[in-house]
């Protein structure tokens, strides 16, 4: 919701439907933002092309999902 207050658009993505449900609840309950965000269930390692193009990204709580062997 904090980003949605200043961004032209915000689209949240997570592989877990439970996480998206929490995000939708926070979006709907936030004054001046409620309903402004959109959401998709998707794998961050293989985002579908139909998500479109974005000018920026915020990634939260992601590094813990990247295997150490992938750090180069």
């Amino acid at each position: 919701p904090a980003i949605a207050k200043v961004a032209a658009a915000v689209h949240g993505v997570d592989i877990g439907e439970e996480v998206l449900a929490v995000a939708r609840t926070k979006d709907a309950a936030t004054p001046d933002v409620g309903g402004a965000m959109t959401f998709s269930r998707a794998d961050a390692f293989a985002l579908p092309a139909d998500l479109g193009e974005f000018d920026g990204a915020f990634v939260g709580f992601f590094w813990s999902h990247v295997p150490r062997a992938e750090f180069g």
Side-chain angles (χ1 to χ4, degrees):
I3 296 170
K5 289 180 181 180
V6 296
V10 174
H11 186 80
V13 177
D14 199 279
I15 197 160
E17 188 55 46
E18 300 84 8
V19 173
L20 292 171
V22 170
R24 287 183 185 103
T25 300
K26 288 182 179 182
D27 172 51
T30 304
D32 301 326
V33 175
M37 297 174 63
T38 55
F39 302 91
S40 292
R41 184 171 184 262
D43 182 348
F45 292 103
L47 292 172
D50 64 356
L51 277 181
E53 295 184 14
F54 298 87
D55 294 327
F58 169 80
V59 181
F61 304 105
F62 183 73
W63 290 116
S64 61
H65 299 285
V66 179
R68 286 190 179 260
E70 304 248 347
F71 290 98

